[in-house]
Amino acid sequence: MSFSYAQDSILLKQQAAHKSREYISIDVQPLFRTGTIITRTTDKDVMKRLNSPGFSAGVDYHRVSQSGFTFVSGIHFRMIPVAYKFNIDYNDFPAGGPSISNFGQTNVNLVNGHIYFPIQAGYTSAKKIGKWHPSIMAGVSLSQLNDYGLQSGSSYYDDSHVNHPIQNIRVDFPEHKPWLSYTANVRASKTLRNGNQIFFGVNASFSGVRYNSGQYNLYQTSGKQSGTFSDTGSYVALQFGYSLVRRYKEPEKFNR
């Protein structure tokens, strides 16, 4: 009998070792791009990057084993901004040119977005920091981008009611099938009384290829200023989310 009980005990421990907790998680991420390059082709620096945030939001399947191994995968939508600002000297325009009321037109914010599929794996510590469990994960995200372009510009009417351009910008997105980027995530999760969780963290996404590129022009009296820009789509994001817990059935005792 003692041998039988020993086998039962071993089996129960093996079953318990495979227990894990799984969640359906929802998160939002304000993101800030880090892969922007601006290159002037004329003599003046007339354009700079705007730090306008983009965002990502999605739903994930999230599983944490008893050993701490963590797996997360889902579907998300994100918008990586195309946001720039022209440094305009209004003294470099003819009399009757743009007034202060035109200033907002010097900011360029072009909107585009796409669906992507993140896959991450890592480790969740059983030890708490205060009331929070820390996690660290890394992985990839996959998306499919089609070839398309966006453009924007502004102009003004002089005293003779003749229309003159102030600036214009065009951005092109090359086709990527698929577009692969690499991710790293550090987060902290707090378990609530009902077993659900809230979490926050920092998520970084790195791309080694060009996400978009474009050209710009500023039409000053002293001469047109031009240049190019590009972005890899890399960014750093803050992460805020809520997880609904789904528990596995407790292992049954071994019956002989």
Side-chain angles (χ1 to χ4, degrees):
M1 291 293 292
S2 61
F3 177 73
S4 175
Y5 286 139
Q7 283 189 319
D8 289 350
S9 177
I10 292 172
L11 182 57
L12 285 171
K13 289 180 179 179
Q14 290 175 340
Q15 289 177 316
H18 288 85
K19 285 194 301 181
S20 59
R21 183 167 292 185
E22 56 181 7
Y23 304 87
I24 299 298
S25 299
I26 302 171
D27 73 58
V28 294
Q29 301 180 39
L31 61 88
F32 302 88
R33 68 194 195 277
T34 59
T36 302
I37 298 175
I38 301 173
T39 304
R40 70 173 188 263
T41 55
T42 50
D43 61 326
K44 295 181 180 179
D45 290 319
V46 296
M47 193 178 80
K48 65 180 181 180
R49 185 186 74 178
L50 276 176
N51 292 318
S52 300
F55 81 93
S56 168
V59 178
D60 291 306
Y61 168 76
H62 180 184
R63 181 170 177 169
V64 182
S65 71
Q66 193 176 56
S67 65
F69 175 77
T70 304
F71 174 80
V72 179
S73 180
I75 181 170
H76 287 234
F77 177 81
R78 68 183 164 198
M79 297 182 68
I80 302 174
V82 179
Y84 297 92
K85 180 177 180 178
F86 284 91
N87 299 319
I88 291 182
D89 180 0
Y90 289 106
N91 295 321
D92 204 0
F93 285 87
S99 65
I100 297 300
S101 64
N102 299 119
F103 183 78
Q105 295 179 342
T106 64
N107 292 347
V108 178
N109 288 276
L110 300 178
V111 177
N112 68 95
H114 60 269
I115 292 173
Y116 70 101
F117 302 91
I119 302 171
Q120 291 187 319
Y123 176 74
T124 298
S125 174
K127 295 182 178 180
K128 294 182 180 180
I129 300 177
K131 296 182 179 180
W132 300 84
H133 286 282
S135 301
I136 183 168
M137 290 173 284
V140 298
S141 68
L142 297 170
S143 56
Q144 178 174 303
L145 302 180
N146 296 320
D147 183 18
Y148 67 101
L150 298 170
Q151 58 185 345
S152 174
S154 60
S155 61
Y156 69 95
Y157 287 92
D158 64 17
D159 292 338
S160 300
H161 304 289
V162 176
N163 186 265
H164 298 276
I166 298 175
Q167 53 82 13
N168 56 51
I169 184 173
R170 175 176 174 82
V171 57
D172 294 301
F173 295 83
E175 183 177 54
H176 291 297
K177 291 185 177 181
W179 180 36
L180 175 69
S181 56
Y182 303 92
T183 61
N185 178 249
V186 177
R187 71 170 67 171
S189 305
K190 179 181 179 180
T191 302
L192 307 178
R193 288 185 177 181
N194 57 6
N196 298 338
Q197 290 187 338
I198 56 173
F199 62 89
F200 70 93
V202 177
N203 194 44
S205 178
F206 171 77
S207 170
V209 301
R210 186 184 63 183
Y211 173 64
N212 65 45
S213 63
Q215 304 83 38
Y216 68 87
N217 297 293
L218 178 65
Y219 298 92
Q220 296 177 318
T221 303
S222 58
K224 182 176 75 171
Q225 300 294 324
S226 302
T228 62
F229 61 91
S230 64
D231 201 302
T232 64
S234 301
Y235 61 84
V236 173
L238 303 177
Q239 183 181 43
F240 305 92
Y242 187 83
S243 298
L244 299 172
V245 67
R246 297 177 64 236
R247 290 185 179 86
Y248 279 118
K249 184 179 180 181
E250 295 295 327
E252 297 178 358
K253 291 186 178 181
F254 179 72
N255 294 319
R256 292 190 171 277

